Amino acid sequence: MAEKVSVGLIGCGVVGGGLVRALSRNGALMASRLGAQISVERIAVRDLSKNRDLPVEPAIFTTDWMSIATDPAIHLVVELVGGTDTAREMILTALRHGKSVITANKALICEYGEELFEEAEKNGVNLYYEASVAGGIPIIKALREGLIGNRVQRLYGILNGTCNYILTQMKNKGWDFDYALAEAQRLGYAEADPALDVDGHDTAHKAGILASLSYGFWVRPDQVHTEGIRGLDILDIQFAARMGYTFKLLAMVKPNLAAPVSQNGARPFSPVQVTVFPTLLPEDHVLANVNGVFNAVFVQGDVVGETLYYGPGAGADATASAVLSDLADAALDIKCDSAGRVPAFTPHEEDGEVQDIDSVVCPFYLRLQVMDRPGTMANIASILGDLNIGISSMFQPEGHEGDRVPLVLMIHDARHDAMREALKKIGQLDVVFGDPVMIRVEPFDPLPVLAD
Ligand code: HSE
């Protein structure tokens, strides 16, 4: 007879409903694999009158989350309400009552992870958060367990299903931004506040979590330089496509590999670039071909080399699958009395720091609206040249009427502070109209071979 693990669920929206249905479908299979039966005994919701049509007894619903977080008969609490205020209180209460907690709440983990992990450890329980990053992709497990013997040399992520869906539909179907976002909301991909998705914050939370796990010091959301996809012009998507590039909202986590080896032979990997912005990828790169709601994480480890993780990044079933994986881990930890066998997060590089955006170097795409007359290009080239910024190619699309034309410049590797200075000066030229558009390019060059 399988041991029963009693679960209290707090929040039963899109993901919670998906979890209850998935457990009803595969609970018996999981019990046979785990030797433990996972049973949702109570569910806290805001509104009892809402018709949820779930395969559970109506009597298990309550509006009182506290009664679940403190109930001695509940072994495990699953928090799926989102937000960072009440959710934090819910998790802390459950941990202090000796219950391990499972959460999909990336904003909360990124902002308050250190506090929550410490509280879990203090109470001899654990906090599981597989569903917080990249939906159904088991990337937390991959980093914490599968790649534990590697130093992460670089990590790239397409981590927001909503943004990837919007960018894919804008490029392939010519949809405008607002229509594509409305569809993403209808399909249940977007956050309750979709600004979190399209302004890049959701990706930044996930990037912060992945960076923290990879480098052993906690990266807070305000340390992640973040730009979203709102306002992206279809013109740039089209021009980029003509030059062989695809837009993605890309999270980049890249340590300073050129740091000198220390006396004990270790190579410090700090500072680490942790950024999120719309990025142009060569269209033949595997990440450029991750489309729709799919997410992907590319991790290069110093032992394993390049690895890639791909799967649905948002939606009820994808997230439910990740919560099921945490439920299985937590149930086994309860069965074997081993909570903490794989700690939620173990700090190990406490001197690590995040790289300042000004010193981040990359190639750029620039689009300017300029006066179509001789000398314009010379003016712009001279500003760039004075700042030691090289142009790798340029292109002026034909067919624009009037004396104002778009001018696209591809820039060699340049520092962000130099580019900012150049754009300020270029914007002041009387032959340039409006704000220049600046997009970063990630060429995925091979890593330098470093001497030991
Ligand atoms: N809104 C998120 C996304 C859901 O679109 O990826 C998963 O975190």
Side-chain angles (χ1 to χ4, degrees):
M1 181 68 181
E3 193 170 316
K4 182 165 124 180
V5 175
S6 298
V7 174
L9 175 59
I10 307 183
C12 196
V14 173
V15 177
L19 176 66
V20 172
R21 285 191 198 93
L23 258 183
S24 147
R25 196 162 70 229
N26 288 350
L29 171 72
M30 288 182 70
S32 65
R33 287 176 172 166
L34 295 168
Q37 184 210 337
I38 296 164
S39 170
V40 176
E41 300 282 305
R42 303 187 61 200
I43 303 179
V45 292
R46 233 189 322 231
D47 177 5
L48 283 179
S49 67
K50 196 164 162 188
N51 179 14
R52 293 186 170 80
D53 192 22
L54 293 175
V56 287
E57 291 299 321
I60 74 170
F61 286 94
T62 173
T63 53
D64 180 12
W65 66 262
M66 183 67 88
S67 70
I68 292 182
T70 57
D71 182 349
I74 294 291
H75 303 121
L76 269 178
V77 167
V78 180
E79 178 274 310
L80 295 175
V81 294
T84 51
D85 296 331
T86 315
R88 172 167 163 263
E89 200 191 329
M90 288 166 174
I91 293 180
L92 286 172
T93 306
L95 295 172
R96 287 173 185 151
H97 282 79
K99 299 171 204 320
S100 285
V101 174
I102 294 165
T103 180
N105 193 330
K106 51 264 166 181
L108 186 68
I109 292 290
C110 188
E111 183 86 47
Y112 295 107
E114 283 175 298
E115 177 197 17
L116 299 172
F117 298 142
E118 227 178 273
E119 196 62 40
E121 204 180 331
K122 208 156 68 185
N123 290 281
V125 290
N126 214 342
L127 178 60
Y128 307 83
Y129 52 101
E130 183 62 70
S132 66
V133 181
I137 304 173
I139 189 63
I140 303 292
K141 211 177 237 301
L143 284 174
R144 284 203 325 196
E145 300 181 34
L147 299 179
I148 194 164
N150 284 261
R151 304 200 84 183
V152 174
Q153 295 175 304
R154 54 183 174 174
L155 181 154
Y156 301 99
I158 294 173
L159 300 175
N160 185 270
T162 301
C163 288
N164 206 45
Y165 175 85
I166 292 173
L167 292 174
T168 303
Q169 305 299 37
M170 284 176 80
K171 180 175 181 196
N172 293 349
K173 298 199 178 149
W175 289 1
D176 69 26
F177 177 86
D178 290 336
Y179 182 74
L181 171 59
E183 278 299 286
Q185 286 177 287
R186 192 182 61 77
L187 292 165
Y189 303 155
E191 297 299 303
D193 173 7
L196 281 172
D197 296 300
V198 298
D199 293 330
H201 304 299
D202 177 81
T203 306
H205 294 141
K206 294 166 178 169
I209 294 171
L210 295 182
S212 304
L213 279 177
S214 301
Y215 295 103
F217 65 95
W218 201 254
V219 176
R220 294 187 321 277
D222 59 357
Q223 295 176 293
V224 183
H225 178 89
T226 304
E227 295 170 31
I229 63 166
R230 198 194 291 272
L232 202 61
D233 197 319
I234 193 110
L235 207 57
D236 294 307
I237 295 181
Q238 290 163 351
F239 288 164
R242 281 163 70 168
M243 291 185 298
Y245 290 102
T246 298
F247 267 92
K248 293 291 169 194
L249 184 66
L250 195 68
M252 287 195 238
V253 180
K254 293 205 264 185
N256 173 15
L257 289 176
V261 176
S262 68
Q263 277 184 343
N264 68 7
R267 186 181 294 281
F269 270 27
S270 177
V272 183
Q273 174 187 341
V274 189
T275 51
V276 172
F277 33 64
T279 308
L280 291 180
L281 317 187
E283 66 191 5
D284 58 357
H285 191 271
V286 64
L287 287 178
N289 293 287
V290 173
N291 287 318
V293 71
F294 282 88
N295 280 192
V297 189
F298 173 107
V299 186
Q300 186 160 356
D302 64 345
V303 181
V304 68
E306 296 182 1
T307 63
L308 184 72
Y309 310 84
Y310 171 83
D317 289 344
T319 315
S321 170
V323 176
L324 288 178
S325 145
D326 277 347
L327 277 170
D329 267 352
L332 282 180
D333 280 342
I334 288 172
K335 187 176 150 191
C336 307
D337 196 16
S338 62
R341 185 185 61 85
V342 183
F345 171 70
T346 314
H348 53 88
E349 294 277 355
E350 308 213 31
D351 295 337
E353 58 180 3
V354 174
Q355 185 178 7
D356 189 278
I357 188 69
D358 278 352
S359 65
V360 169
V361 172
C362 66
F364 293 84
Y365 159 107
L366 276 190
R367 175 170 61 82
L368 312 169
Q369 183 78 353
V370 299
M371 178 80 82
D372 191 12
R373 75 169 184 224
T376 295
M377 184 57 208
N379 283 336
I380 294 166
S382 134
I383 291 175
L384 293 169
D386 288 349
L387 287 158
N388 212 16
I389 297 172
I391 300 171
S392 56
S393 67
M394 60 159 286
F395 131 87
Q396 188 169 331
E398 300 289 339
H400 289 267
E401 289 178 8
D403 57 359
R404 295 180 182 196
V405 292
L407 176 66
V408 177
L409 302 173
M410 299 303 288
I411 303 290
H412 278 300
D413 272 348
R415 275 176 61 110
H416 271 68
D417 49 7
M419 280 303 288
R420 192 159 2 102
E421 180 69 15
L423 289 189
K424 196 168 130 208
K425 291 187 168 157
I426 289 171
Q428 286 163 353
L429 293 174
D430 60 3
V431 290
V432 173
F433 306 101
D435 290 332
V437 174
M438 180 192 89
I439 313 277
R440 288 82 171 183
V441 179
E442 176 51 57
F444 299 105
D445 291 333
L447 290 178
V449 178
L450 300 167
D452 284 334

